[in-house]
Amino acid sequence: MDISIVICTHNPEERVFRRCLDAVNRLNLLNMKTEILIVDNNSSPTLIARDYVNKFLKDTPSAKCILEKKPGLTYARMTGNNEAQAPVVIFFDDDNEPDQNYALAAHRILLEKKEVGIIGPGVVKVDFVDGSDAWLETQRPFFQEMSVEKELYSNNQMYYEKCYPYGTGLVVRKKILENYHSILSRNGEISDRTGNMLLSGGDKQIVLCG
């Protein structure tokens, strides 16, 4: 297995989640061995009770759905990581639509740069599916919209902000996730989105473990 794709979701909106699943299905994987793990973070109704998700699973032999009843993005991510068979894990949110060559590019970078443990997209475009007003258009960076002209890397925790990868399409070597999981298990603390609480620190914690 080359790459494990983990999609974490809780009560996704069908029209948005369909776009995510379609984009993942269109990924150009060439000869890479890839699995797709959908983590249902206690949705109601469950994902496997939804016709369009069932169809995706039936049409995609490399995909399966896993249930994590404990609410919280970090719990969902760690459940996905525990099931992942590949040395590299790509996390997508249920509203992400990766570029067709995203997985290939991520795999190439990590093969070429053995010293790099975590990467993310250099370009993120936000699509407000129901349109937006003028004020919302000014807030695009808060939805992780970004565009960088060249690859940036750093191992300095004091100055990593310029090349900090967001949670959108986060690509992590599995050994880093195992270290992160070990730290969480010892500390017993989760700082991430849970239900209606949108405060999130999980992305930064994973990055700092790299």
Side-chain angles (χ1 to χ4, degrees), residues 122-128 137 139-148 166 168:
V123 177
V124 178
K125 296 180 180 179
V126 174
D127 177 18
F128 295 114
E137 286 293 332
Q139 306 303 308
R140 286 179 172 271
F142 289 101
F143 295 93
Q144 300 191 352
E145 183 162 286
M146 63 182 297
S147 180
V148 297
Y166 293 138
T168 299

Side-chain angles (χ1 to χ4, degrees), residues 110-149:
L110 292 182
L111 278 179
E112 293 175 354
K113 296 179 169 59
K114 304 296 185 182
E115 72 279 12
V116 174
I118 303 173
I119 57 176
V123 177
V124 178
K125 296 180 180 179
V126 174
D127 177 18
F128 295 114
V129 294
D130 290 319
S132 61
D133 57 27
W135 176 84
L136 196 57
E137 286 293 332
T138 67
Q139 306 303 308
R140 286 179 172 271
F142 289 101
F143 295 93
Q144 300 191 352
E145 183 162 286
M146 63 182 297
S147 180
V148 297
E149 296 180 356

